[in-house]
Amino acid sequence: MSLIVQKFGGTSVGSVEKIQHAATRVIQEIQNGHQVVVVVSAMGKTTDDLIRLAAGITDSPNKRDMDMLLTTGEQMTISLLSMALQSKGCSSVSMTGWQAGIQTEAVHSKARITHIETARMKEELEKGKVVVVAGFQGMDENFEITTLGRGGSDTTAVALASALSAQRCDIFTDVDGVYTSDPRFIKGARKLEGISYDEMLELANLGAGVLHPRAVEYAKNHSLPLTVRSSIEEIEGTLIEEESKLEENLVVRGVAFEGDIVRMTVYGLENEVTGISAIFSVLADNHINVDIIIQSRTELNSTNLSFSIKEAELEETRSALLQNKERLGFSKIEHEAGLAKVSIVGSGMVSNPGVAAQMFEVLAEQEIAIKMISTSEIKVSTVVEMDKMIPAAQAVHDSFSLASLQPKPQLTN
Ligand code: ASP
Ligand code: MG
């Protein structure tokens, strides 16, 4: 008998009605003759509410207590979904992460799964039960409760699917799949039938919130096919697999964008050899995430360094650098705020030269200045002014013909 893992995100279990509906989606697969393991997130905004509760008590909650608190969110959902299944005549058992055998590193708030002891789940599945598992949580070697980082229920689902050799892992969410770009802002953005792990990983890291990057990484490492689909409508979602045979014609598969970027420039670095590493060590020690980095030499033979950061980290970055000015040996720092990153992603870039050139050309035609550029084999990112972000993304989306070629067929009767 084949096994399917289904995962329902927070919005898909956000109310009693939605939990009832999720239960019917589970029962459909049982009726199709599958065994089912269901992974759920906390209902709606429960995790945010719990974080707010803690913040009402202290600015610096103990991480162990925080994990203890946040894992209660998922625990509510497993019990309610299990009740819903049983009230519809479907036999089920709810399990916390630790009852399901999910072992993690001994790290609070962002642990990685190290091993899954599947015996108990298998036993329950053999009895004909649906196993309902709390996402986002596990236990370390010392029986301490841990969590996997925000959005971590996706990772629970993928890890269980791989440990149980599931035939598929379906991620049910409030969008019906992975889109070529954000349809709320980009005209003609449409759902992709398929996308590769690597492309999805780039998009997830570029801020497409639809999947937890670690879940995609896990699926890739275990060659597990993933689908992202709507919990509301019964339509095909997006299939994520090694190499997408679907939509093979697309060189660029997605356009991602994100605002509130700052370009920081360090002028006149005295020591080109040790200066650069010293600067990035200071930033790393202060947990500042640096994205694009550009180093340049001026005519006067001094070294300048520019890098992009999130606007929220601007003050911290400035003070970390200025406090260490003597030791780091630079003449001054300057920053430009109000910037945004617009990126294109597609595996086809590897074998199709000229993709970056086309992107730059389109931006030039729109008279959009490019402040920074970074590339990987399957990605080109540009930094532009914030108010040019959407026009830039739209122009690029149009230029690579990502928009739906035909309108959706209308049902008439
Ligand atoms: N409930 C957790 C969160 O909100 C985990 C998840 O939903 O995946 O981040
Ligand atoms: Mg999520």
Side-chain angles (χ1 to χ4, degrees):
M1 201 184 231
S2 62
L3 174 93
I4 290 178
V5 173
Q6 297 183 315
K7 183 257 173 179
F8 292 91
T11 44
S12 307
V13 289
S15 64
V16 165
E17 292 71 34
K18 288 188 170 168
I19 290 178
Q20 299 276 21
H21 184 71
T24 64
R25 301 298 298 250
V26 176
I27 291 169
Q28 275 168 13
E29 293 297 0
I30 295 289
Q31 285 166 348
N32 289 338
H34 298 292
Q35 292 180 322
V36 181
V37 170
V38 195
V39 174
V40 288
S41 290
M43 293 172 68
K45 298 262 169 260
T46 303
T47 308
D48 293 331
D49 294 341
L50 291 170
I51 291 172
R52 221 167 292 126
L53 273 181
I57 293 182
T58 166
D59 286 342
S60 50
N62 174 306
K63 285 191 169 173
R64 179 182 183 279
D65 290 331
M66 209 54 199
D67 280 355
M68 192 70 85
L69 176 67
L70 295 191
T71 48
T72 62
E74 272 69 14
Q75 216 165 309
M76 277 171 65
T77 325
I78 51 170
S79 42
L80 293 171
L81 179 57
S82 183
M83 289 175 200
L85 286 165
Q86 288 167 32
S87 71
K88 294 181 194 301
C90 173
S91 153
S92 69
V93 56
S94 56
M95 285 190 196
T96 60
W98 37 100
Q99 287 175 320
I102 299 174
Q103 292 169 15
T104 74
E105 302 168 328
V107 179
H108 287 295
S109 84
K110 50 168 189 284
R112 281 177 182 265
I113 295 174
T114 49
H115 174 70
I116 301 179
E117 197 53 62
T118 53
R120 168 108 193 256
M121 278 187 292
K122 283 184 175 153
E123 210 176 282
E124 301 289 356
L125 287 166
E126 285 311 311
K127 288 186 208 154
K129 291 187 184 177
V130 169
V131 177
V132 185
V133 181
F136 170 64
Q137 54 177 250
M139 188 172 267
D140 73 12
E141 277 177 355
N142 299 314
F143 306 103
E144 292 287 357
I145 292 175
T146 56
T147 60
L148 310 181
R150 295 302 309 266
S153 295
D154 292 339
T155 304
T156 305
V158 174
L160 287 182
S162 120
L164 294 163
S165 309
Q167 183 194 322
R168 282 204 327 260
C169 181
D170 288 346
I171 308 277
F172 288 93
T173 168
D174 55 342
V175 293
D176 58 4
V178 179
Y179 275 66
T180 53
S181 195
D182 190 331
R184 289 171 302 172
F185 302 101
I186 302 300
K187 281 195 245 27
R190 68 182 173 91
K191 190 175 71 185
L192 287 161
E193 284 177 64
I195 188 167
S196 72
Y197 295 126
D198 288 329
E199 291 167 322
M200 191 61 232
L201 205 52
E202 289 280 12
L203 288 176
N205 282 323
L206 289 167
V210 59
L211 274 179
H212 197 224
R214 208 178 271 175
V216 183
E217 207 178 281
Y218 210 101
K220 174 180 156 73
N221 291 341
H222 297 84
S223 302
L224 180 86
L226 264 185
T227 65
V228 173
R229 60 200 324 168
S230 164
S231 58
I232 307 143
E233 286 179 285
E234 280 188 47
I235 46 176
E236 290 290 307
T238 302
L239 176 64
I240 305 159
E241 57 187 342
E242 189 57 48
E243 236 174 84
S244 187
K245 303 271 179 305
L246 304 159
E247 319 231 22
E248 239 175 352
N249 55 326
L250 291 183
V251 176
V252 170
R253 252 189 260 261
V255 178
F257 47 88
E258 112 181 89
D260 300 324
I261 305 272
V262 175
R263 175 171 69 176
M264 180 66 92
T265 305
V266 180
Y267 290 95
L269 253 191
E270 285 157 19
N271 191 329
E272 201 192 20
V273 180
T274 57
I276 294 173
S277 84
I279 285 186
F280 289 107
S281 304
V282 165
L283 297 175
D285 290 345
N286 286 277
H287 303 284
I288 293 160
N289 256 318
V290 174
D291 185 21
I292 302 175
I293 301 170
I294 295 170
Q295 182 218 20
S296 60
R297 256 175 112 64
T298 67
E299 279 172 17
L300 302 169
N301 248 357
S302 82
T303 298
N304 296 343
L305 195 64
S306 291
F307 54 86
S308 66
I309 50 168
K310 299 287 266 177
E311 199 153 321
E313 300 193 320
L314 173 60
E315 276 324 307
E316 255 181 290
T317 306
R318 278 178 52 79
S319 70
L321 291 175
L322 291 173
Q323 273 166 24
N324 294 284
K325 186 165 186 276
E326 293 288 281
R327 182 167 67 81
L328 296 172
F330 58 83
S331 58
K332 63 170 180 178
I333 55 172
E334 267 176 18
H335 70 267
E336 181 176 4
L339 302 177
K341 186 164 75 168
V342 176
S343 310
I344 53 175
V345 172
S347 314
M349 282 182 207
V350 182
S351 49
N352 285 281
V355 174
Q358 183 177 338
M359 179 179 193
F360 303 152
E361 227 173 83
V362 174
L363 297 182
E365 275 163 20
Q366 304 289 316
E367 298 189 7
I368 296 173
I370 302 173
K371 309 267 177 178
M372 299 178 100
I373 297 169
S374 89
T375 62
S376 79
E377 271 190 323
I378 63 164
K379 176 193 82 172
V380 181
S381 290
T382 57
V383 172
V384 300
E385 275 169 9
M386 182 80 177
D387 58 358
K388 297 283 166 30
M389 176 174 81
I390 300 298
Q394 183 72 60
V396 172
H397 194 269
D398 294 345
S399 163
F400 286 99
S401 309
L402 292 179
S404 1
L405 300 173
Q406 298 145 303
K408 270 191 184 174
Q410 297 289 319
L411 292 176
T412 47
N413 66 7

